[in-house]
Amino acid sequence: MANDWLMNPALLMMLAGLLAIRLPTKLLGPLAVVTPTLGLLMLCQLPNGEQGIVSLYGLTLTTLRVDGLSFVWAVIFHIAAILAGLYAWHVKDRMQQSAALVYAGAAIGAVLAGDLLTLFLYWELTAISSVLLIWANRTARAYTVGLRYLVIQVISGLLLMAGAIVHYQATGSLAFDHLGLDSPGGWIIFLAFGIKCAFPLLHNWLQDAYPEATATGTVVLSAFTTKLAVYALARGFAGEDILITIGAVMTAFPIFFAVIENDLRRVLSYSLNNQLGFMVVGVGLGTELALNGAAAHAFAHILYKALLFMSMGAVLLRVGTVKASELGGLYKSMPWTTLFCIIGGMSISAFPLFSGFVTKSMILTAAAAEHQWLVWTVLLFASAGVLDHSGIKVPFFSFFYHDAGHRVKEAPWNMLLAMGVTAFLCIAIGVWPEPLYAILPFPVDYKPYTSYHIITQLQLLMFAALAFCVLIRKGWYPEEIRSTNLDFDWVYRRLLPAVVKKLLAWMWRLDSAVRAVAMKAVHAVIEKVAQSHGPGGVMSRNLSTGTMVSWLSVFLALYLFFSFYW
Amino acid sequence: MKTSDKKAWLEQPANVDKLVYLVYLICGVLLVAEFFYEKHPYFGFDGSFGFYAGFGFLAYCTIVFSAKALRRVLKRSEDYYGE
């Protein structure tokens, strides 16, 4: 079919996003739910393979590629968009509703892209549309944070484009398949993906920006950008050993920051970063089990992470803050939100019967199968950390612990419904993983429910919980206090500006010194000129009329004298 | 909301104790379970008695204590960046 590129759910979503700019506000909620639902139906109708071939200036672009890998991501992106739409049903702000649809559409378009140019276009569009979810807060702080976020995202896009050009010149192909790290183009693209995937030291845009978006906006943000990056890595760099190391570091280091962070949405952002690490390890291992694990974990993760952000968004909406130091005892006012948050926490902690249990373990098993005992141990360590920051800290300090005295209304019906459905899915995947396993990129031969796995996992989690009980009762658990904790972003928010300021100050000093010397020379010349031409100078002496008359008489006398004697 | 002076069930220290004892009990049961299932360790060291239990407990304590140490280095006032 000539126009089959139009049959793209991404275009449908983006069109709806444009529609949202003009539609009556009461229709925005239904639009945000119905559109991705239709998109999902459309996706399921698409045949496998490459379609939507468009020729542009002699380049052949594949705008639609449905295969094992892209299908899982496209499905979960649609589900995330539906749930986020339901969660934000009450939002009357066109900017947010429109941006969320375009953003989700761009992310879906990107995972369905079969070439690097199409990927680049959607990649940049996710950046530009998502920043509106931060700016929608309409505060000076949100503006600054959004700008920082946008700059970093756009840099990622530009690197992707540069890498694509280098890759095209080297190979003559723009196809987005396995790229590998044996060419400069591959490395540049890898860096572009790494920024969006929040690799260590490239990660701070995530913890900086996500907690500053609107209550509903963060839920949308949490689903797409980083998982798109995981998809891109799985497509282009599966089996690259360096990813195993990067991923393992990613699982471990954010935990420590999550423990001492006060803003609970920022805690969840660190936790998100740590979860991405598991997926990156899976991609790096590159075996069928590992890639299945990465895909399944991305699927489960989008749901439970959205659920956790939803519960904190509800708290933010009702209480006005998600700072742990200001919260506590909310279970009395918001019992349903509490329940859903706990379900999200148990899912991310990978308790048996919850989604994390059947997905994360695939990655650990794959690591063990590759004899990566050190990586496996780090992942296990990180799993205990997950229990702390997301399984215990987030629910405990907001809904329990010391009652902070907030007596608020329960979350609105649409938020509760969205959380309820998401919580249901988290449990459904945990109890009945087969439907998820069925859509993974490779055939699944993995049984999560063995007595060994159940008991060891429960031991790990319950003894970690035991440690929490001991520490908090002894008063050894760090108190929640209002603070900013320095992270790597200190380098570009403080150090770099300070260095630049110093450098500029130094340059100004140098400049003024050079100019002082020049001015001295100029002054000397002026002085000299002033001496000769100034008042009383040789060149500017005023001769009196008398002198002139006497000289004139002298000349006349001389004239007379010579005229008589010549 | 209820405004009674009586503390909620969850806020009475005796009940909190009960919950903590429940955690102790579950942990105890899980340790006893070590004797009753077939182990399939990946490497060998992970098959030793109570490996996962000990690892979970120690990992948790390590994380919390290192984070506390980290806080001493990294903590700044809330408006440190002045935004």
Side-chain angles (χ1 to χ4, degrees), chain A residues 166-214:
Chain A
V166 174
H167 178 75
Y168 181 68
Q169 281 179 337
T171 62
S173 160
L174 271 180
F176 180 31
D177 295 315
H178 186 80
L179 301 165
L181 288 174
D182 36 24
S183 67
W187 274 103
I188 301 173
I189 296 174
F190 184 74
L191 190 58
F193 292 174
I195 292 175
K196 254 199 171 40
C197 196
F199 281 0
L201 304 187
L202 305 174
H203 66 283
N204 271 118
W205 63 265
L206 200 167
Q207 291 85 359
D208 184 21
Y210 283 12
E212 301 300 336
T214 60

Side-chain angles (χ1 to χ4, degrees), chain A residues 44 434 449:
Chain A
C44 295
E434 282 75 18
Y449 286 101

Side-chain angles (χ1 to χ4, degrees), chain A residues 336-355:
Chain A
W336 286 104
T337 307
T338 308
L339 174 70
F340 297 138
C341 181
I342 291 173
I343 292 175
M346 291 183 81
S347 301
I348 194 173
S349 310
F351 272 94
L353 301 181
F354 293 86
S355 58

Side-chain angles (χ1 to χ4, degrees), chain A residues 520-542:
Chain A
K520 217 167 169 186
V522 171
H523 276 302
V525 171
I526 291 174
E527 195 82 349
K528 200 88 193 148
V529 171
Q531 266 175 17
S532 52
H533 289 70
V538 183
M539 305 299 284
S540 60
R541 236 173 264 154
N542 254 340

